[in-house]
Each structure stands twice: as structure tokens, then as C-alpha cells.
Amino acid sequence: MKSFILRVAACFCMLSFLTGCGGAKRTAKVDAMREYFAENKYIIHACGEIADENGNLYTYTNSKEALENSYNAGNRIIEMDFHYTSDDHLVPGYAWGDLYKGDEQMTPGVAPSLADYLECKIDGCFTPMTFEDVAEFMRAHEDLLIVTDTKEENEKFCKMVSHDYTDLEDRFIIQIYHAKEYEPVIRSGFDHVIYTLYETEESERTEKALMDIAKKHLVGFTVYAEWADDPQFLEILKKTDTPIYVHTVNEDAAIASYFDLGIKGIYTDRTDLSENNVR
């Protein structure tokens, strides 16, 4: 991460000297982030898979144990889901139905209060976190980047972080789900945006629509694996001259095949790939 920060700083200085242009500075930051993603290859999905004490594997936990396990395995780009509790506290989490308070499962789809949430175990065995827990972990591990998955709460998330966690702004990569979300994210002070396409309509995935949003200089596009398998659609994405990331892929052969197609990064549940170097 230090080399990444030095590259960004060098780009800033050169572009400031040549142009004095804020837009050029943001372009340099995005280019450096693209390079960092290309070097790391893997974006760990929902903090990655984690085993319980019996060796059973779980995904989508966004838990303390999963975050620690992914980082300790050498991963430095981790995707996390975020939602708001019933009393409006931002917390990591994928679905409320995976929470157990003692032996009782919380009601699926119904947000609990923060107090109830913190008394629960995810899938009955893993520890939930507050946003402050995530922030403290990031401050203690300065080379960690977080890719956000906040669905409909993107603008609210960005405003909160830019107001209360300004020291961490550049280490969050904000996923947007529609092109119209780009400008509010940028106005909130964030430079690094990934456009993930799984919630888009067909009209949002035309060549013109994708070329238009690509002019904003995204960190990348993220697509379903099966969309990357469509040669015609993949060719349209390549025309945008924007890095392409694919989710969610766990098999070695499939991962290798996507890199052969020119895909720049893989969202995966696995945490061992940075060590095994499957590329």
C-alpha cells in the first residue's frame, strides 16, 4: 500500500505542476487505484469465507472473524455489505435473517435495533461489527481498502463517511448500481467509484450508455460471470477502456479463464488466492 500511496502522490505532484487541474488530480488517483487493483487481482466478497469450529464454511458473514481471516491471509481489497439498523446505525451485514440471538433466529428481512444486533451471532457463531469497528480495523491496518455494497443507501453512506471519517475517504471504493448515482458520490468527496451492473436494466447496458458513464473515469465495471461469458457484451465493455471485474468466482479454472479474457479482477469468497497466486 505504501508504494500505491507514493504513486498517487507522484501523480498528484506532476499533474498539479503541469495543469493545476482538480479533475486531472482525480484522474491520477483513479489510475493509481486501477493499477493497485490489477496488482492485487482479488476483491474478497463479503469479507470472504470463514470456517466455524467444526470446519463448516460460511460465506456472506461480513463478520469480525471473516475480516480478520481475510486480512491475515494477505488480502488487501475486501468488499463489505452495509445496512442500517432499525434505529439508524450503519453496520456490516448481508441479510438480517442470518442473525441468531441465542437459539432464536431473528426475523428475516426485518432490521433489528443496534442493541439486538450486537447481542446476536451471525449464522449462530460469528461476531457482528459496528461501523466504528470497521473504521478502527482500517486505521490499524493502513494498507486495507474496502469496496462498499450499500444498495439504496449509497448517498447516505457517503455523506456519513465524509462527515465523520474523513481520514478514511480515499480507502473506500464506492460501488454504484446506476449511472445517476455517480455524481452524488463524487460530490460527497469520493474519487473511487466502481459501477456494478447487476441491478441495471438493459437500457443501462447499451454501448452508448456504458461509453457515456465510462467518460467519468471509473475504477472499473463489475459484471456477473455469465455476462463476461457473452463475447458481444464483453467486447462492448472493452471498448470503454475501463477495467472489468467479475463476480463471484471461486474455481481455479474459471478464475484463470477470466484473466485470459482480459478481466482485471475477480470478486471471490476464497481467501487463499493471494497466497496461491491463481492467475
Side-chain angles (χ1 to χ4, degrees):
M1 187 66 174
K2 286 184 179 178
S3 62
F4 165 65
I5 293 171
L6 290 172
R7 288 198 301 271
V8 174
C11 288
F12 279 10
C13 292
M14 179 60 70
L15 284 166
S16 296
F17 176 75
L18 293 174
T19 68
C21 176
K25 288 183 181 181
R26 196 185 74 78
T27 297
K29 290 177 73 174
V30 173
D31 286 343
M33 186 63 76
R34 287 178 172 185
E35 184 179 346
Y36 191 68
F37 268 60
E39 290 172 357
N40 281 269
K41 299 288 187 183
Y42 304 106
I43 302 104
I44 307 304
H45 179 230
C47 289
E49 63 186 9
I50 184 72
D52 65 13
E53 60 184 10
N54 296 315
N56 301 307
L57 286 176
Y58 294 82
T59 57
Y60 283 100
T61 70
N62 292 279
S63 65
K64 179 178 183 287
E65 291 85 356
L67 177 60
E68 292 173 346
N69 179 66
S70 291
Y71 184 87
N72 291 338
N75 300 290
R76 296 299 180 260
I77 305 175
I78 296 177
E79 187 248 19
M80 298 185 73
D81 301 276
F82 292 97
H83 294 285
Y84 283 87
T85 62
S86 62
D87 46 352
D88 208 35
H89 292 275
L90 184 71
V91 296
Y94 172 70
W96 301 120
D98 60 5
L99 295 175
Y100 290 80
K101 193 173 181 180
D103 294 328
E104 181 180 353
Q105 183 179 14
M106 302 294 282
T107 304
V110 177
S113 68
L114 178 64
D116 282 343
Y117 171 76
L118 293 176
E119 288 184 22
C120 290
K121 289 291 187 180
I122 300 164
D123 288 315
C125 50
F126 302 111
T127 307
M129 295 183 288
T130 64
F131 188 83
E132 184 60 30
D133 292 331
V134 176
E136 288 180 6
F137 191 89
M138 293 175 72
R139 289 173 180 138
H141 303 85
E142 295 183 355
D143 54 353
L144 174 64
L145 300 178
I146 298 293
V147 176
T148 69
D149 190 347
T150 61
K151 304 297 189 292
E152 70 280 357
E153 301 288 1
N154 240 344
E155 191 170 355
K156 184 176 180 180
F157 172 91
C158 290
K159 287 180 177 178
M160 184 274 290
V161 173
S162 65
H163 185 270
D164 297 329
Y165 298 89
T166 54
D167 60 314
L168 299 176
E169 269 184 335
D170 280 345
R171 292 169 58 198
F172 284 103
I173 298 86
I174 308 299
Q175 288 189 129
I176 62 172
Y177 311 91
H178 304 280
K180 65 183 180 182
E181 298 172 23
Y182 175 85
E183 293 299 340
V185 169
I186 296 299
R187 285 197 301 269
S188 295
F190 293 83
D191 294 308
H192 304 125
V193 177
I194 289 175
Y195 187 7
T196 185
L197 301 180
Y198 65 84
E199 289 193 354
T200 55
E201 303 290 338
E202 280 191 38
S203 61
E204 299 173 274
R205 299 193 299 273
T206 64
E207 182 172 340
K208 182 181 184 309
L210 295 174
M211 292 293 286
D212 284 347
I213 186 63
K215 293 174 185 175
K216 304 291 188 181
H217 207 59
L218 305 162
V219 173
F221 288 109
T222 296
V223 299
Y224 283 129
E226 53 263 39
W227 291 358
D229 292 335
D230 179 343
Q232 185 176 0
F233 186 61
L234 186 60
E235 187 59 32
I236 290 172
L237 287 171
K238 287 182 175 180
K239 285 181 182 179
T240 68
D241 197 29
T242 300
I244 305 163
Y245 311 126
V246 170
H247 68 91
T248 301
V249 187
N250 296 319
E251 298 77 23
D252 288 353
I255 289 169
S257 71
Y258 287 121
F259 286 134
D260 288 342
L261 287 173
I263 299 301
K264 295 299 183 183
I266 301 290
Y267 286 64
T268 182
D269 297 312
R270 290 174 57 184
T271 64
D272 63 322
L273 295 172
S274 63
E275 294 180 353
N276 292 346
N277 204 28
V278 178
R279 303 182 181 191

